[in-house]
Amino acid sequence: MAAAVGVLDSRHDPLPQPSHDTNIYTLGRIGAHNVAIACLPAGVIGTNSAAIVATRMLSTFTSIRFGLMVGIGGGVPSQENDIRLGDVVVSKPVGTSGGVIQYDFGKTVQAGRFVRTGSLNRPPDVLLSAVASLQAKHMMEDPGFSKHLSEIISKYPKLRDTVTYQGLEHDYLFAADYDHREGDVACTHCDINRSTSRGPRKGTDPAIHYGLIASGNQVMRDGSCRDRLRKELNVLCFEMEAAGLVDNFPCLVIRGICDYADSHKNKRWQAYAAATAAAYAKELLYVIPQSRVIETPSVVEEIKQTGGRQNNNTGNGKQFIAEKMIFGHSSDVRPFESPLEEKGG
């Protein structure tokens, strides 16, 4: 949550909420838009948990139009997609897929073959239009990552070490079949000769990648399995919450890459990756006109129109309009929490 809080332009006072809603919210503003931020409880992961948080949020803030699911993920580099630590992956429809694929949902058929079934909804038009607008803008000028990350440091100076680029010397992509050495926390004893040689970029700003995101209830930490699913599904990253949301909560998934979904995972890049994802979310909201949001039906209205199920408690009629929702897994941004609490913010 703290990465999203760090990019707010201003904070709003908290509001009373129903007793059945145990989420903890931070309310604020980004550009012209009001934002309600929530996260999964510490230590809780998975698609079902994400769905519960979103359902509670909709029962309290009935005017929410759409969501941005912001957090970290495991990158899936390839010759076609030079994904590196700190980069940002944004869900975008490709072919018949809406942007998120639940890779562990399906059935086992003859010869033990696993077949994925069903499909997940694509992001709403208001978000896809904003993505297209931002892509066009970035063809002409650099993204605003440096500006937004500098603003976080200015507000919370103790975050300087964690929201700063962690260095090419700490970004190793090891061969898919080379496993991490047991007991080695930060790959200090891993053989760098088994890593892939990649040339330096022009600068340290993250690259933005658009495409399919794999979501499931299991942590992906095997390079060979990662590469096999990349070839099957053409995905750019793995994460663990989005599949629980996108069918019933119109949203865009934004993930900062903190590892390569292999056994060499460590936490060094997590805070920086969470911050780059939040910075992209902020820039995206800046290109959405307030009038376009006002014209967009609320999620609760859309659920009623489509006959979807919604919590019977439809909120308490608060005047605060939570136009967007940003949230991520609490462990994604744990390095941020202490400095924010010390500042009283």
Side-chain angles (χ1 to χ4, degrees):
M1 178 188 287
V5 172
V7 297
L8 288 175
D9 291 325
S10 63
R11 298 274 294 270
H12 297 324
D13 292 334
L15 293 169
Q17 60 196 70
S19 58
H20 72 269
D21 183 1
T22 58
N23 294 343
I24 296 177
Y25 301 103
T26 298
L27 309 179
R29 178 184 58 81
I30 293 179
H33 310 300
N34 290 323
V35 180
I37 305 173
C39 71
L40 271 67
V44 177
I45 59 176
T47 59
N48 293 337
S49 300
I52 291 171
V53 170
T55 299
R56 289 171 179 165
M57 174 177 265
L58 290 176
S59 72
T60 297
F61 299 104
T62 58
S63 294
I64 284 179
R65 265 55 171 191
F66 53 76
L68 299 177
M69 186 156 192
V70 181
I72 58 175
V76 186
S78 65
Q79 289 186 343
E80 298 77 18
N81 298 289
D82 182 22
I83 296 174
R84 304 196 185 190
L85 300 184
D87 283 0
V88 174
V89 173
V90 181
S91 64
K92 183 180 179 181
V94 175
T96 59
S97 298
V100 175
I101 296 176
Q102 187 168 2
Y103 69 92
D104 59 355
F105 182 78
K107 59 184 178 181
T108 302
V109 295
Q110 290 88 347
R113 187 166 57 92
F114 183 75
V115 177
R116 290 168 195 85
T117 57
S119 60
L120 299 173
N121 290 338
R122 66 183 182 87
D125 287 343
V126 62
L127 290 177
L128 291 179
S129 296
V131 165
S133 176
L134 198 54
Q135 281 185 280
K137 179 182 177 183
H138 290 163
M139 291 177 66
M140 299 177 286
E141 55 188 74
D142 292 334
F145 287 113
S146 296
K147 176 177 180 290
H148 301 316
L149 295 178
S150 295
E151 289 174 351
I152 295 177
I153 295 172
S154 177
K155 295 176 189 175
Y156 308 105
K158 288 188 177 181
L159 299 180
R160 180 179 299 277
D161 291 341
T162 53
V163 303
T164 301
Y165 177 68
Q166 298 296 295
L168 183 63
E169 68 275 14
H170 299 294
D171 184 356
Y172 290 112
L173 172 61
F174 289 98
D177 60 354
Y178 178 64
D179 291 332
H180 181 71
R181 295 186 63 172
E182 290 289 339
D184 187 5
V185 176
C187 289
T188 52
H189 296 98
C190 291
D191 184 1
I192 60 173
N193 292 319
R194 298 297 306 276
S195 63
T196 302
S197 176
R198 297 176 292 174
R201 288 176 171 173
K202 292 181 179 179
T204 59
D205 278 355
I208 305 168
H209 310 269
Y210 297 91
L212 300 178
I213 291 177
S215 182
N217 281 306
Q218 303 178 52
V219 176
M220 176 58 64
R221 54 185 311 148
D222 181 89
S224 297
C225 183
R226 173 202 67 202
D227 284 358
R228 176 176 59 81
L229 289 173
R230 173 183 59 80
K231 293 175 183 177
E232 290 180 16
L233 305 175
N234 192 30
V235 294
L236 300 180
C237 86
F238 287 88
E239 61 88 74
M240 296 185 63
E241 287 96 25
L245 283 187
V246 295
D247 257 2
N248 296 305
F249 196 116
C251 65
L252 185 75
V253 184
I254 303 168
R255 292 300 187 189
I257 301 304
C258 65
D259 59 58
Y260 291 119
D262 58 13
S263 61
H264 300 276
K265 287 176 178 285
N266 65 71
K267 296 183 178 182
R268 183 184 189 99
W269 289 83
Q270 287 187 358
Y272 177 72
T276 59
Y280 177 89
K282 179 171 186 171
E283 193 159 357
L284 184 74
L285 291 181
Y286 266 80
V287 304
I288 302 176
Q290 187 179 33
S291 59
R292 183 69 192 277
V293 175
I294 294 173
E295 295 167 358
T296 302
S298 71
V299 178
V300 172
E301 289 171 346
E302 287 202 346
I303 290 174
K304 290 179 180 178
Q305 291 173 4
T306 58
R309 295 182 179 179
Q310 172 62 20
N311 192 308
N312 290 330
N313 187 325
T314 56
N316 53 17
K318 295 181 177 68
Q319 294 301 307
F320 176 82
I321 299 177
E323 294 170 345
K324 330 281 181 312
M325 180 272 291
I326 305 179
F327 77 97
H329 194 292
S330 60
S331 65
D332 295 352
V333 290
R334 191 164 293 142
F336 290 87
E337 292 175 357
S338 178
L340 286 175
E341 291 172 354
E342 289 174 12
K343 295 267 297 187

